[in-house]
Every structure is written in C-alpha cells, then in structure tokens.
Amino acid sequence: MTTLFAALILAAVIPPKWDEVAKGVWRGRIGAHDSPTLTEAAEAVPRSASIKAKSQVPFDLKQVKMDVASEYARVELPLAKGEKIFGLGLQMKGSDRRGGVYHLQVDHYAEGHDRLHAPTPFYVSSRGYAVFFNTTRPINVYVGVGNRTDRNDAPARDRNTDPKWDAQPDSGHVEASVQGPGIEVLVFEGPTAMDAVRRYVMYCGGGAMPPQWALGFWHRTPSLATAKQVEDEAGEFDRRGFPLDVIGLEPGWQSTSYPGTMEWDPGRFPNPDKFLKGQSAMGVHVNLWENPYVKPGSKLAEALQPGFGSHTVWLGLVPDINLPRVAKAERDFHAAEHLDKGVSGYKIDEVDGFDNWLWPDHATFPSGLSGIRMRQIYGVLWQRELTRLFEERNERTFGLVRGSNGAATRFPFAIYSDTYDHRQYVTALTSSSLAGVLWCAEIRSASTDEEWVRRMQSACLSPIAQLNAWDSGKKPWSYPAVEKEVKEAMLLRESLVPYLYTTFWQYASEGTPPVRPMCLVDGGEETDQYLLGDDLLVAPMFVGETSRKVRLPAGKWYDYQTGKYVGSQQTVEISPKLAEIPLFVRGGRAIPTFAGATRAQGEAYLPRCYGDGPWAGQIYEDDGKSVAYRSGAYGFFDLTSGADKVSQKHLAGSRRELARKLLPPLIVGKA
Ligand code: GAL
C-alpha cells in the first residue's frame, strides 16, 4: 500500500512521456501501467496507415497535462477557439460534443442516462487530429467544461450588470479522468479528421472485413420457430423473389435459454445437421443468438468449470472469457456444437448491461479483473474470442454484439439495440464510424406502410441489412400494399454488394470507415445524411416527412435510380416518393454492382455510370470467405469505362484478373 502511495505521488510530479509508437501516433503515459488497456484487451497489433500527406498535431504535445492525484489519473488537452469535437462513442444524439460531459460506460442505451452500447473513448477534432484514452476503466470526459484555478479561462463577471455573464465559460480544454493509478492517451495526427480516424483504425489492427455473403440480406425468425418453420420461411423468400443470405435463430434454438445451454433443442431442432445442410444448399447462412450466461449443470458449464465470475446474470454463470483456458473451452464447444455442423456466426446479446442487471462493480473474476472493468470490455472479449475461433479455421464471420468499446475495429461485428427510434438509428450510423464501430440499423416492425418502407430503406443502406423479427414475426412482405417498394430496397442492397465489399476492403486495409459522417467528409455537422463508401450519399427519409433537405458536398451528384443531375456543393430540397430511396451518386464514377441478384453473389459485374465519362471506379475481389486475402490472395482493380466497354487495371494482390465477367456499362445518367 505504501509503495502504491509513493508511486502515485511520484507520478504526479513526472511530466508525461511521449513516444511516437507508429507513424503519426503519439503515446503519452502517466502513473502506473494500468493493464489491460483497451488495445491490450483487443489484442490489437498496430498496422501502418498509408497516409502520404505530411501532418502534425496542431498543438505542442507539451501543452498536454497529465497527473495522478486523489485517486484519479487525469489528462488535459488544449482546445482552440471554434474547434469542434466529434465522437466519444456510438452516440444516438448530437454531433459536436463541445460543451458536454460524457460518462463513458457500457450499458444498453436508454433515455435518461448517458451510458452507451459502445462508449469508445475516442474523439476527432475539426482541426484534423484524434485522441484515444486507452483505458478499460469507466472514463469521464469534459469537453470544454470545467474551469480550473490553475488557468485563466475567462474573467469573472458581475451577473447583476454584465450581459456577457456565463456560469461556466468554455474551458478551452478537454479533461478526462479515470479512477485508477495511471492512464495512457494516444494522439493521432491527420492532416484531415478522416486521416486521424484511419490512423486510429490501423493502430488497432485495421477495420473488419466481413465475408461477402454477410453483406446481403439478413432475416431473424421468431424466437420459438422450429426447424421446419424456419425452412418454410426461408423457402418463401425464394418463392416470392425476395433476397436472403442469412437466417438468424433467436433464443428458441437452444434447449433452454436465459440461462442457456448453447445446445440445440431436440424438439424444435431434432436434426441440426440436416437443417444446416439444407440452408447451406439454398445459399443461406445461419447465425445463432446467444446470451453468454451459462445454465448451471449444462455440458458447457461443466467444460468451463471453474471459470466463472462471483455473480450470475439471470441465474446464468458468467464465463471469465478473459482466462485463456475458459476462452479455449468456449471455442472448442462452439466449434464442435455449431461450426463443424455449418453455423456461420453469432449474435452475442446482453453484454451491454449496467450493475443492476449484469454484475456489480465489486464482482470478482478468476482472471483478476474487477466487475466494473469486466463490464467495460465483456463484449470486446467475446468479439475477440469468436473472431479467433473462425480465423483459426481459415473462415471469416460477421456477427452482431450489443456491447463494445474502443480498439475493437478489426472484429467483424455490428452493434444493435432494443431501442427503436428511426432518427436515432441514423444518427448512430453516422456516429458509429467515428467510434470505429459498425451499427446495425435493423428493422423490426412498423405502425404504417410508410414506416415499414422508410425503415427498410435505411436498414438496406447500413453495414448489416437486417429484419429482426424475433418478436414481431414480420416478413418483408407483411405489409402487402408496399411489398414492391420493400422488395426494391432489398434488391438494391444485393446489387450493391460488390461496391460494399470494395468499401469494406478500404476499411480493412486503410482504415477508412464504410459509413462516413459529414464531419469526416468535409467538416459538416449533419447526422441525418452520410456517405456510404466513396461515391454514394444517403439521405434517409423519416416517417411523416414528404420532403427533406440534403447538403451535397464537393462533386456533382446524381440520383442513383433515375440518373437525374441533382446539384453540387449546395443544399437541395428533395421530395422522394415512397418507392424512391434518397440515394445519390458522385458524377464521373462507375459503381460496381451485381444485376438481378437475390444472393450476395453474381456471375458478372455491371458498372452503373453517372455524369461525364470516361467513368472511373474500383473493385476488390477475393474468395469471399477465407482469410487467405491477408496473405495476398485477392485482386484490387481500377475500372475505366467508356460508353460501351469497361477495362480493368490491376492495382494490388496476387489475382491479376477479375474472376467475374465485366458487363458493358449501364450509363444511368449523363451531365
Ligand atoms: C433481446 C435482443 C433482441 C432479441 C431478444 C430475444 O435482448 O435485443 O434482438 O434477440 O433479446 O430474446
């Protein structure tokens, strides 16, 4: 205790030490190394960002103050006048965070508290740099808030007479603190905000690369559906011509759940091998819901013994997935019971709770992590182990998880929620990219035909296009009056798979997030529009609205469906009909698509061209499912299209030619 005390006092007087730990990435530390950090928990192996432009943080790192005092480790960073701060996790509201206090703790999002599904302690500045507090402790971040006695933030004024009086003038600083013996902060250079995000993602090991099939359409069946009912439902997609790539099974696939056995229910799924083979023959992948808390006495509980936390969750044993032995036993169980039979991924539920329904702060775990820190990273650890499980088999997966945190960028999982506000879902889409997180703007049900269509359109333009009917039992055709419009949105999704796959390659290899909020594009603050990849601009419509404003960034923009010219660097008012998805394309570009596909695969690429030719595009191709691309088994190509013919130029990877045919271009709209 005395030594710890001495260390704390010492830490307080030593200035932070800065190291350039990767090109353009500066690490400052104060106090004791507080393991595990987020990068340690995620086992992040930094990769270098391929940013050519010269950069520098726009302030002297010596201006950053760090100290350890009265139980807290603190970092203080300068803010310039007018500087805007974006990020601080998967936020459902707002854009510029300046003027706010953020208590970054994992929980399911709800009105009335500020805890989040993925509270990544990472922010991006409008001045073109980013900051990451690399800690697994809950952290409070004060953005321009908190006037200190050791600074002169503003003169004290007389409220009685001075109209400029302000109780809390902007502090000109960010202060962040954790209750702990030390903290690490990482500062990422730009020169642009997007470059800073790229450096962060690459420092964490790169972005996730889902298998190609996972970019198609996902449908989750009702909780208690039997194998026969699921087979019928999947078959009906085909009969009706609706696309389907992934079927998700909810709690009823297990013999008991909450707490779960993670074993097939012999009544509802009497022959899992046959069921999985049947789905695979239809080109459909199967994703299993799990809540990781294990039924006492079950086969899995026996295999994990003695590796549980001190408390239960809904009477389920909590595996200490941070213990290598437990993690290995989990992987072995999942491989034998599910993957060997053909399961392709998981939805990991309820890893995003607070102390009232997960476990208390003081809970203990055999690996030594406290309850409060385990809550901050439980979802990250599950993503880590499931990613490892698939990669060890040379397979890729894409899944869902309800809680995450920083440094998890390389894990192929998207976050979802039980909340259901459409506007918040779109804000989450835009804010998640800043956080190095993917978001699933799923559709579940709707009160009107219009809502069903508009939500489906948003779902189809998000990282995972999913109908989650676990409770509603809805199918895409459940609203007959708008069946055609819904089908169109789903088919659009399938056709965009080559473009989306190429976009994800940019995420994996350069760290550029697939969904790009306007603050990364050109410093805009809109949360209701975003770029999907380099060349598509999405402006979702919300229920009850017949028109909306869209701000078109630099470039000439065309309507995706009609090819009509819409404008350039201006705000336009649009009034799309229900069938019309507000989706715009950058002029001069060739968008690689699959034509007429009802699965996320096609025999040929159809480039859709807009604006003045010749049209340029890019396309990434690999085997779509293994991790061989990491050792160079892929092809990355430039496309150049004239009016009738497209040519390919090899840019990188051992595949010299595209495996699929390139169809003559479709010139959708001309200038
Ligand atoms: C919820 C989850 C839903 C669904 C449900 C099944 O926790 O958010 O998407 O999976 O559990 O019981």
Side-chain angles (χ1 to χ4, degrees):
M1 208 45 211
T2 335
T3 343
L4 178 67
F5 187 66
L8 296 189
I9 297 288
L10 202 64
V13 293
I14 295 176
K17 185 175 165 310
W18 290 99
D19 291 305
E20 191 172 16
V21 286
K23 205 166 173 314
V25 183
W26 296 91
R27 184 181 66 198
R29 281 177 166 170
I30 198 84
H33 182 65
D34 193 19
S35 217
T37 59
L38 281 167
T39 48
E40 284 166 356
E43 291 180 2
V45 179
R47 289 163 58 197
S48 54
S50 52
I51 294 157
K52 299 276 180 319
K54 269 219 160 96
S55 177
Q56 208 177 311
V57 180
F59 54 84
D60 186 346
L61 287 174
K62 287 202 195 91
Q63 285 176 263
V64 178
K65 293 188 182 141
M66 296 176 80
D67 49 39
V68 183
S70 48
E71 293 174 35
Y72 283 86
R74 181 187 76 97
V75 189
E76 178 184 322
L77 299 113
L79 285 178
K81 226 176 172 234
E83 179 173 355
K84 292 174 191 161
I85 295 298
F86 302 104
L88 292 177
L90 172 61
Q91 300 274 356
M92 303 272 188
K93 284 183 187 166
S95 179
D96 182 5
R97 308 273 159 225
R98 192 156 180 171
V101 178
Y102 298 85
H103 306 100
L104 298 180
Q105 292 217 52
V106 173
D107 197 354
H108 48 278
Y109 174 80
E111 295 291 336
H113 69 71
D114 63 354
R115 301 185 294 266
L116 306 167
H117 293 282
T120 59
F122 174 74
Y123 67 77
V124 186
S125 156
S126 58
R127 296 180 82 202
Y129 68 92
V131 171
F132 181 48
F133 302 108
N134 195 10
T135 176
T136 50
R137 292 184 190 268
I139 178 162
N140 297 332
V141 187
Y142 305 81
V143 190
V145 175
N147 302 118
R148 292 178 65 94
T149 50
D150 59 3
R151 284 192 316 247
N152 196 8
D153 296 339
R157 295 175 190 273
D158 176 12
R159 196 178 79 154
N160 294 331
T161 56
D162 193 338
K164 285 197 184 140
W165 181 90
D166 188 353
Q168 289 178 304
D170 183 277
S171 75
H173 291 80
V174 170
E175 271 192 280
S177 57
V178 293
Q179 200 167 11
I183 191 165
E184 174 176 311
V185 63
L186 291 152
V187 178
F188 299 87
E189 294 178 0
T192 64
M194 180 71 99
D195 288 328
V197 169
R198 287 188 182 112
R199 286 189 206 274
Y200 164 69
V201 173
M202 297 317 286
Y203 187 76
C204 299
M209 185 68 202
Q212 188 173 305
W213 52 260
L215 298 181
F217 193 79
W218 294 49
H219 175 68
R220 307 200 78 85
T221 47
S223 220
L224 292 180
T226 62
K228 171 82 177 59
Q229 285 163 342
V230 176
E231 282 158 1
D232 289 350
E233 205 156 307
E236 200 165 352
F237 274 74
D238 273 359
R239 277 194 297 284
R240 289 174 176 261
F242 279 76
L244 180 67
D245 295 274
V246 182
I247 275 278
L249 306 184
E250 289 287 318
W253 73 269
Q254 292 185 37
S255 55
T256 66
S257 69
Y258 294 93
T261 56
M262 324 298 158
E263 287 176 59
W264 298 90
D265 180 68
R268 287 181 290 272
F269 287 84
N271 191 341
D273 295 80
K274 185 165 158 269
F275 166 74
L276 289 161
K277 278 206 184 83
Q279 292 305 300
S280 166
M282 288 172 62
V284 175
H285 293 78
V286 175
N287 176 283
L288 297 181
W289 172 98
E290 274 189 12
N291 143 317
Y293 314 115
V294 187
K295 185 172 183 226
S298 65
K299 194 164 132 190
L300 179 58
E302 294 307 309
L304 301 178
Q305 211 59 273
F308 301 110
S310 55
H311 291 66
T312 61
V313 173
W314 301 353
L315 301 180
L317 302 164
V318 181
D320 185 346
I321 192 80
N322 196 38
L323 268 188
R325 181 187 58 76
V326 170
K328 166 101 176 45
E330 284 277 12
R331 293 200 308 277
D332 290 349
F333 181 90
H334 283 80
E337 301 286 328
H338 313 144
L339 270 62
D340 288 351
K341 299 182 197 299
V343 167
S344 64
Y346 295 92
K347 164 177 170 180
I348 301 299
D349 209 13
E350 280 119 6
V351 288
D352 57 335
F354 206 51
D355 57 0
N356 53 345
W357 70 292
L358 282 190
W359 48 82
D361 296 358
H362 61 258
T364 56
F365 288 87
S367 66
L369 271 180
S370 63
I372 193 170
R373 285 174 93 171
M374 189 61 113
R375 284 204 313 265
Q376 290 291 93
I377 53 169
Y378 202 58
V380 172
L381 298 175
W382 269 96
Q383 291 175 71
R384 182 185 83 191
E385 291 311 318
L386 290 175
T387 303
R388 195 195 311 278
L389 166 65
F390 282 90
E391 290 184 352
E392 277 173 353
R393 302 162 64 97
N394 191 24
E395 283 174 44
R396 268 183 269 165
T397 184
F398 201 26
L400 294 143
V401 66
R402 231 175 60 181
S404 192
N405 207 325
T409 60
R410 73 182 170 92
F411 302 133
F413 286 84
I415 318 297
Y416 63 100
S417 177
D418 268 351
T419 62
Y420 199 49
D421 182 290
H422 190 187
R423 212 171 253 285
Q424 287 185 359
Y425 267 30
V426 174
T427 302
L429 267 178
T430 60
S431 73
S432 62
S433 292
L434 284 172
V437 169
L438 303 170
W439 171 251
C440 167
E442 69 184 21
I443 178 169
R444 297 202 282 269
S445 187
S447 323
T448 61
D449 293 341
E450 180 201 1
E451 186 190 351
W452 188 243
V453 176
R454 292 308 190 194
R455 280 184 177 272
M456 182 61 92
Q457 292 172 345
S458 297
C460 286
L461 294 168
S462 97
I464 282 190
Q466 174 168 276
L467 164 51
N468 180 9
W470 77 275
D471 183 45
S472 69
K474 299 279 191 235
K475 294 136 185 87
W477 50 89
S478 289
Y479 296 73
V482 289
E483 187 173 328
K484 193 171 141 282
E485 288 81 354
V486 163
K487 191 192 257 184
E488 242 168 65
M490 291 166 64
L491 289 172
L492 169 74
R493 170 70 181 204
E494 296 291 328
S495 71
L496 282 174
V497 164
Y499 172 79
L500 295 172
Y501 201 48
T502 307
T503 297
F504 265 99
W505 168 247
Q506 292 177 319
Y507 189 37
S509 63
E510 331 162 336
T512 315
V515 171
R516 304 178 190 162
M518 300 314 285
C519 66
L520 292 188
V521 174
D522 58 8
E525 284 185 50
E526 298 87 352
T527 55
D528 61 353
Q529 64 173 76
Y530 56 91
L531 290 199
L532 183 60
D534 287 337
D535 301 320
L536 295 183
L537 173 68
V538 188
M541 288 295 291
F542 301 99
V543 176
E545 292 179 357
T546 48
S547 68
R548 63 158 290 168
K549 289 195 165 59
V550 188
R551 187 174 63 79
L552 303 167
K556 289 178 165 180
W557 294 89
Y558 294 80
D559 183 286
Y560 184 85
Q561 278 146 325
T562 62
K564 227 176 103 205
Y565 176 66
V566 190
S568 171
Q569 277 189 295
Q570 69 198 90
T571 298
V572 292
E573 177 100 17
I574 54 163
S575 317
K577 296 198 193 72
L578 207 48
E580 291 167 5
I581 306 171
L583 181 61
F584 307 98
V585 193
R586 201 186 284 283
R589 302 298 291 169
I591 308 293
T593 65
F594 285 145
T598 54
R599 295 284 184 268
Q601 48 190 302
E603 281 169 14
Y605 297 115
L606 172 68
R608 288 174 66 105
C609 301
Y610 297 80
D612 297 324
W615 297 271
Q618 290 193 321
I619 200 158
Y620 170 83
E621 203 184 48
D622 62 17
D623 69 8
K625 54 185 188 195
S626 81
V627 291
Y629 71 96
R630 295 210 184 130
S631 9
Y634 68 88
F636 188 45
F637 303 88
D638 252 344
L639 303 182
T640 309
S641 179
D644 345 279
K645 202 172 168 296
V646 194
S647 59
Q648 51 179 290
K649 186 171 155 242
H650 178 256
L651 293 177
S654 62
R655 284 190 182 209
R656 312 295 301 183
E657 296 266 322
L658 281 169
R660 292 182 179 85
K661 231 174 50 195
L662 265 173
L663 296 175
L666 184 68
I667 315 296
V668 190
K670 276 202 161 185

